[in-house]
Amino acid sequence: MVKGPGLYTDIGKRARDLLYRDYQGDHKFTITTYSPTGVAITSSGTKKGDLFLADVNTQLKRNNVTTDIKVDTSSNLSTTIIVDEPAPGLKAIFSFKVPDQRSGKLELQYLHDYAGICTSIGLTANPIVNFSGVVGTNIAAIGTDVSFDTKTGNFTKCNAGVSFSNADLIAALTLNDKGDSLNASYYHIVKPLTNTAVGAEVRHSFSTNENTITVGTQHALDPLTTVKARIDNLGKANALIQHEWRPKSLFTISGEVDTKAIDKSAKFGLALALKP
């Protein structure tokens, strides 16, 4: 098990990854190459209906500094600079996007055996300040995540969460949207040898009094092939199969069907990621 409680974003992450990660209804292709100097260049393209989106990302690692530069088909230039361990347990992240002059942001993350803190501030005249903190251990933790808009003087986000973990079970409870929604999630490892796990998430909205329930599972057919499935109370059923046909290169096929409208066509997604 991971030492320490982690960051606030880690609360409920295992259940979210099981239920939502790798599912998609688009067609996506990604290829990564490495130059002799160690620069990684990743090109990706995604087809969303009749729309095609593409981007090229260049990553350079030098000692404890990682620089990412990405250019997309919308003529946006995104840059992220990560300094890992400038001090024990600390990570500094600086990011900005051109031509958006208000996109600059500085973020600091600090991990301790009994705490995890993340704070960020926008590099503008009236920035949005975000703070999230978790205290506890790798077994039990409690945390909060808040954002404050210095221009309006209002809190734009106010969330809180708790989590409990042991060797094969992770449970989490979060209060989101300034107290308007309550999320409960559950992740259980059934058989570690085959990476078999089950998970569930329940969302309740106090303003609409509506509940959304999603359950899912995953299982490794062999060391290189994994299948996943999920269904929610709205009748949407999804399934995928992912195969690692060579180290770090993945081929994924996913599909979705509305069980309450069988006459509608099923949605299919395809993803191919190539790495040398």
Side-chain angles (χ1 to χ4, degrees):
M1 297 178 65
V2 178
K3 191 175 182 180
L7 299 174
Y8 184 85
T9 52
D10 294 326
I11 295 179
K13 184 177 184 300
R14 294 293 295 272
R16 290 195 303 272
D17 286 348
L18 171 65
L19 295 174
Y20 305 109
R21 186 177 178 181
D22 295 325
Y23 289 103
Q24 63 175 19
D26 308 314
H27 298 163
K28 185 175 182 179
F29 176 79
T30 304
I31 183 171
T32 301
T33 59
Y34 294 91
S35 71
T37 58
V39 177
I41 301 175
T42 301
S43 303
S44 65
T46 303
K47 187 176 184 298
K48 295 178 178 287
D50 296 330
L51 184 64
F52 182 79
L53 305 174
D55 62 67
V56 177
N57 184 83
T58 302
Q59 183 182 85
L60 173 63
K61 292 185 178 181
R62 184 66 56 88
N63 298 325
N64 65 331
V65 180
T66 302
T67 303
D68 283 281
I69 301 174
K70 183 170 72 173
V71 181
D72 61 30
T73 49
S74 298
S75 300
N76 294 314
L77 174 64
S78 305
T79 301
T80 303
I81 301 173
I82 301 174
V83 182
D84 197 18
E85 294 277 338
L90 186 67
K91 178 185 290 187
I93 304 172
F94 170 66
S95 62
F96 64 90
K97 181 185 292 185
V98 178
D100 187 357
Q101 298 180 357
R102 296 180 54 85
S103 63
K105 185 174 72 171
L106 178 63
E107 179 178 335
L108 294 176
Q109 298 178 1
Y110 177 71
L111 292 175
H112 185 268
D113 291 349
Y114 302 104
I117 297 173
C118 178
T119 181
S120 65
I121 183 171
L123 302 179
T124 63
N126 302 109
I128 293 178
V129 181
N130 179 264
F131 172 84
S132 64
V134 179
V135 294
T137 65
N138 58 347
I139 297 176
I142 183 171
T144 186
D145 180 22
V146 295
S147 291
F148 181 76
D149 190 337
T150 59
K151 183 177 182 179
T152 62
N154 296 323
F155 284 95
T156 58
K157 179 172 63 174
C158 187
N159 304 328
V162 295
S163 67
F164 171 80
S165 307
N166 64 18
D168 60 358
L169 182 148
I170 302 175
L173 184 68
T174 58
L175 187 64
N176 304 315
D177 303 323
K178 299 180 182 180
D180 182 64
S181 64
L182 184 68
N183 288 23
S185 64
Y186 167 83
Y187 174 86
H188 179 60
I189 301 175
V190 179
K191 192 174 182 181
L193 290 179
T194 57
N195 197 28
T196 303
V198 295
E201 182 184 64
V202 179
R203 300 180 182 178
H204 176 74
S205 173
F206 294 103
S207 59
T208 62
N209 199 32
E210 293 181 347
N211 295 316
T212 303
I213 303 172
T214 306
V215 295
T217 184
Q218 70 177 21
H219 174 74
L221 300 177
D222 57 54
L224 302 177
T225 308
T226 299
V227 292
K228 296 174 65 176
R230 76 167 189 233
I231 189 169
D232 60 30
N233 63 324
L234 301 178
K236 298 291 181 63
N238 299 70
L240 71 80
I241 181 169
Q242 185 176 80
H243 179 68
E244 186 177 10
W245 58 283
R246 57 177 297 177
K248 300 181 181 180
S249 295
L250 302 173
F251 178 67
T252 307
I253 300 177
S254 58
E256 177 183 284
V257 62
D258 188 345
T259 60
K260 295 183 179 181
I262 300 298
D263 54 317
K264 293 183 179 181
S265 300
K267 298 179 181 179
F268 293 97
L270 176 67
L272 179 62
L274 304 177
K275 288 188 177 182

